[in-house]
């Protein structure tokens, strides 16, 4: 299993860009996180932290109880899928080979390039900004789950809630982590729209036609 | 035991925010079927199957929460200075619809798996050993507030009346047609109090006169006010909000 990506890479011109496990967990995660965000907005609206509400039409659940049912059902999908992905990423070396090395210098250089519109589009190889973004969003996922647990169980997991700055603090942490994940998703989707050939490999694992890997 | 049947829904005139339009929307469009279709790209033709899965997951979460519940884990206690003032009023109706229970005529009825089903008058309840605690009330809507409640440890009361402590549920019927039920381990938790005072004063009507069951290990809606009858049973009694889709265990 540990050799899956490299053996696929050797199998011919059509190099595997995304291993099967990454593709499956990606799409399960996409469904789970969208359910969590849209139902979460409806839950937020029941007692807004800030001076605004999410329009009801873009939320999920219909009313508070419905939204809570969605939220506490999809959390299992999100957490189990996320745990599998993180274990897979660590055990197979997927994280190490795709997200590392990452230095502040390379991050700053690539970030400036990106602002100038000079982004490297090498399928299957992430630039420093992408690496930082993926590491960041995985960490935000962990923060979302932990702050969610702190809000859900402020008595049973009160040590965790305390760590999040108490019950009200945990609500704020949960909201901020959600906002950062939404920001990531918006940038992520914008970049896919700008470079559409990155989309197909997330389904098939391979670049369309295979010629695009030619370096 | 007529007292212990479900209250007539038609008598209920809900006015609270979370029930207003949302409830009608819920019944009509169920669970935002359109949104789900949009999300998954699937053609979901049977809303009932989605509903079934969500209710099933909620029941699963009841079991997970019962498993996570540690009977010895205490809810955080706060100093007097942390008390929220004014403490928010909350019910499925507005504040001017609060029921006014006549103290002189009041009798707490007992039913189900309880040996001594004799009714209790307020003076008898006030004569039980009293204790106070300052804890955080967490509403299912997300907000929270810290208050001080005083009364008798519910476990002491249940033992006094000879309740079957091995039964599964304790149910409550309230003067405002509200009803709810809790699991026995939570009923026996040392911080679960049958309270008669709020902020050292006899419970005002808006906070649940003549008594409120204060459970700092559960969400606010699991803390019944204006309790008229208590019963112990092995048959799932449900609850006003629980029967509409809110999670039954709702532990903190």
């Amino acid at each position: 299993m540990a050799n899956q990506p490299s053996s696929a890479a050797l199998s011919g011109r059509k190099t595997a860009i995304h291993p099967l496990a990454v593709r499956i967990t990606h799409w399960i995660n996409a469904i789970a996180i969208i359910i969590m965000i849209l139902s979460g907005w409806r839950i937020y609206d029941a007692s807004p932290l800030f001076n605004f509400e999410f329009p009801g039409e873009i939320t999920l659940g219909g009313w508070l109880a419905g939204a809570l049912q969605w939220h506490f059902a999809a959390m299992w999908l999100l957490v189990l899928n996320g745990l599998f992905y993180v274990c897979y990423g660590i055990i197979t070396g997927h994280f190490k080979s795709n997200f590392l090395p990452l230095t502040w210098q390379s991050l700053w250089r690539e970030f400036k390039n990106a602002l100038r519109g000079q982004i490297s589009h090498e399928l299957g190889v992430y630039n420093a900004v992408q690496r930082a973004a993926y590491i960041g969003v995985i960490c935000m996922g962990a923060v979302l789950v932990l702050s969610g647990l702190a809000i859900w169980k402020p008595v049973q997991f009160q040590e965790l809630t305390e760590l999040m700055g108490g019950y009200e603090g945990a609500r704020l942490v949960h909201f901020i982590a959600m906002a950062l994940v939404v920001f990531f998703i918006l940038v992520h989707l914008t970049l896919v729209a700008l470079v559409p050939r990155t989309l197909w490999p997330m389904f098939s694992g391979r670049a369309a036609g295979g010629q695009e890997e030619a370096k | 035991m007529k007292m212990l049947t479900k209250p007539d829904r038609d008598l209920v005139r809900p006015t609270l925010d979370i029930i207003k339009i949302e409830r009608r929307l819920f019944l009509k469009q169920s669970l935002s079927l359109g949104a789900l279709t949009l999300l998954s790209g699937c053609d979901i033709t049977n809303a009932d199957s989605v509903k079934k899965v969500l209710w099933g997951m909620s029941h699963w979460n009841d079991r997970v929460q019962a498993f996570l519940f540690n009977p010895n884990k205490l809810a955080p206690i706060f100093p007097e200075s942390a008390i929220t003032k004014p403490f928010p009023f909350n019910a499925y109706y507005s504040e001017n619809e609060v029921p006014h229970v006549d103290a002189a005529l009041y009798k707490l009825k007992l039913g189900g798996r309880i040996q001594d089903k004799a009714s209790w008058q307020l003076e008898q309840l006030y004569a039980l050993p009293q204790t106070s605690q300052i804890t955080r009330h967490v509403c299912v809507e997300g907000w929270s507030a810290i208050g001080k409640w005083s009364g008798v440890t519910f476990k002491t009361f249940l033992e006094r009346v000879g309740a079957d402590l091995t039964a599964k549920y304790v149910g409550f019927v309230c003067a405002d047609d509200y009803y709810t039920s809790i699991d026995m381990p939570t009923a026996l938790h040392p911080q679960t109090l049958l309270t008669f005072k709020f902020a050292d004063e006899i419970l005002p009507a808006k906070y649940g006169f003549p008594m409120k069951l204060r459970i700092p290990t559960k969400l606010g809606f699991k803390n019944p006010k204006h309790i008229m009858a208590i019963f112990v049973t092995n048959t799932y009694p449900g609850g006003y909000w629980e029967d509409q889709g809110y999670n039954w265990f709702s532990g903190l």
Side-chain angles (χ1 to χ4, degrees):
Chain A
M1 185 170 162
N3 293 325
Q4 203 182 6
S6 54
S7 65
L10 294 169
S11 67
R13 287 181 60 82
K14 291 192 174 187
T15 327
I17 294 169
H18 302 301
L20 182 65
V22 170
R23 281 177 276 146
I24 292 174
T25 50
H26 172 269
W27 290 113
I28 291 176
N29 183 64
I31 294 167
I33 200 80
I34 289 169
I35 293 174
M36 292 306 277
I37 289 169
L38 298 186
S39 59
W41 288 353
R42 170 66 72 166
I43 297 167
Y44 167 96
D45 282 353
S47 181
L49 276 172
F50 304 104
N51 202 16
F52 74 93
E53 287 180 26
F54 295 97
E57 304 79 50
I58 58 163
T59 66
L60 180 65
W63 73 316
L64 179 58
L68 287 164
Q69 282 191 345
W70 278 105
H71 210 71
F72 287 100
M75 73 174 183
W76 292 102
L77 196 62
L78 185 84
V79 169
L80 293 176
N81 184 65
L83 279 177
F84 175 82
Y85 170 73
V86 169
C87 290
Y88 168 87
I90 293 168
I91 292 167
T92 65
H94 172 77
F95 285 166
K96 203 179 162 193
S97 59
N98 284 269
F99 300 154
L100 297 176
L102 179 63
T103 61
W104 290 110
Q105 290 96 317
S106 65
L107 182 60
W108 179 237
R109 189 180 61 238
E110 302 268 3
F111 183 69
K112 281 191 293 186
N113 288 345
L115 289 183
R116 278 192 238 116
Q118 298 167 337
I119 311 171
S120 60
H121 298 307
E122 204 177 319
L123 284 181
V125 180
Y126 295 132
N127 65 46
V129 177
Q130 285 174 303
R131 289 175 184 200
Y134 289 128
I135 293 170
V137 82
I138 291 166
C139 292
M140 275 312 113
V143 171
L144 272 173
V145 170
L146 291 175
S147 57
L149 278 175
I151 297 168
W152 188 40
K153 292 277 163 262
V155 173
Q156 301 306 327
F157 301 151
Q158 55 190 269
E159 296 79 11
L160 180 66
T161 310
E162 220 36 62
L163 203 68
M164 296 279 166
Y167 176 77
E168 295 294 340
R171 289 179 73 199
L172 196 61
V173 170
H174 203 58
F175 184 89
I176 292 167
M178 177 279 295
L180 289 172
V181 168
V182 169
F183 177 70
F184 169 88
I185 293 170
L186 292 177
V187 173
H188 185 62
L189 294 180
T190 305
L191 291 176
V192 171
L194 288 174
V195 193
R197 68 192 163 95
T198 57
L199 181 59
W200 181 243
M202 199 33 99
F203 290 102
S204 67
R206 286 150 216 285
Q211 76 280 11
E212 294 180 32
E213 288 94 344
K215 292 178 184 175
Chain B
M1 290 286 283
K2 220 167 198 171
M3 181 74 211
L4 304 180
T5 57
K6 283 182 186 180
D8 189 347
R9 285 282 171 74
D10 294 333
L11 294 173
V12 171
R13 279 167 290 114
T15 49
L16 189 74
D17 274 355
I18 56 170
I19 195 170
K20 257 193 256 165
I21 310 156
E22 293 193 326
R23 188 165 157 203
R24 256 174 291 146
L25 266 174
F26 175 71
L27 296 171
K28 238 184 236 170
Q29 67 180 32
S30 190
L31 297 152
S32 281
L33 192 61
L36 181 75
T37 312
L38 193 80
L39 288 176
S40 60
C42 303
D43 181 23
I44 292 160
T45 48
N46 191 357
D48 284 345
S49 67
V50 175
K51 228 173 167 177
K52 240 180 226 167
V53 169
L54 292 175
W55 277 86
M57 286 305 294
S58 190
H59 292 318
W60 159 252
N61 284 330
D62 284 339
R63 292 165 63 181
V64 171
Q65 291 177 93
F67 173 77
L68 288 177
F69 179 78
N70 176 350
N72 301 314
K73 189 107 182 177
L74 298 181
I77 297 294
F78 297 87
E80 297 257 355
S81 58
I83 292 174
T84 308
K85 289 168 188 166
F87 192 87
F89 166 81
N90 206 49
Y92 68 87
Y93 42 79
S94 66
E95 203 170 327
N96 54 26
E97 292 172 282
V98 164
H100 288 271
V101 177
D102 189 332
L105 298 174
Y106 179 81
K107 273 181 182 170
L108 175 67
K109 291 193 171 73
L110 299 179
R113 304 176 70 83
I114 290 177
Q115 279 173 10
D116 183 1
K117 292 195 181 74
S119 304
W120 286 67
Q121 288 180 313
L122 277 179
E123 301 84 73
Q124 295 171 287
L125 291 164
Y126 292 161
L128 291 167
Q130 308 282 307
T131 177
S132 295
Q133 74 193 5
I134 301 169
T135 50
R136 184 188 295 276
H137 168 112
V138 177
C139 181
V140 68
E141 293 174 322
W143 57 267
S144 73
I146 294 168
K148 182 180 186 182
W149 289 271
S150 314
V152 60
T153 306
F154 196 44
K155 185 185 180 186
T156 304
F157 179 77
L158 289 177
E159 285 171 345
R160 186 72 65 96
V161 298
D164 175 6
L165 303 184
T166 64
K168 283 184 181 168
Y169 311 102
V170 182
F172 305 87
V173 184
C174 309
D176 51 2
D177 286 336
Y178 192 78
Y179 61 105
T180 190
S181 57
I182 60 171
D183 53 298
M184 186 59 81
T186 299
L188 301 177
H189 187 272
Q191 287 177 312
T192 300
L193 304 184
L194 193 57
T195 65
F196 313 107
K197 281 184 175 178
F198 178 79
D200 299 320
E201 306 282 336
I202 291 292
L203 272 177
K206 66 173 177 172
Y207 295 144
F209 183 84
M211 78 185 75
K212 170 195 175 95
L213 189 74
R214 175 63 193 138
I215 315 171
T217 58
K218 282 200 190 292
L219 287 174
F221 77 92
K222 300 295 294 186
N223 293 231
K225 297 179 283 193
H226 315 288
I227 300 168
M228 302 302 281
I230 298 174
F231 60 101
V232 175
T233 178
N234 282 316
T235 313
Y236 175 72
Y240 177 84
W241 289 117
E242 295 89 330
D243 294 350
Q244 297 177 59
Y246 283 93
N247 177 261
W248 177 76
F249 195 92
S250 286
L252 292 176

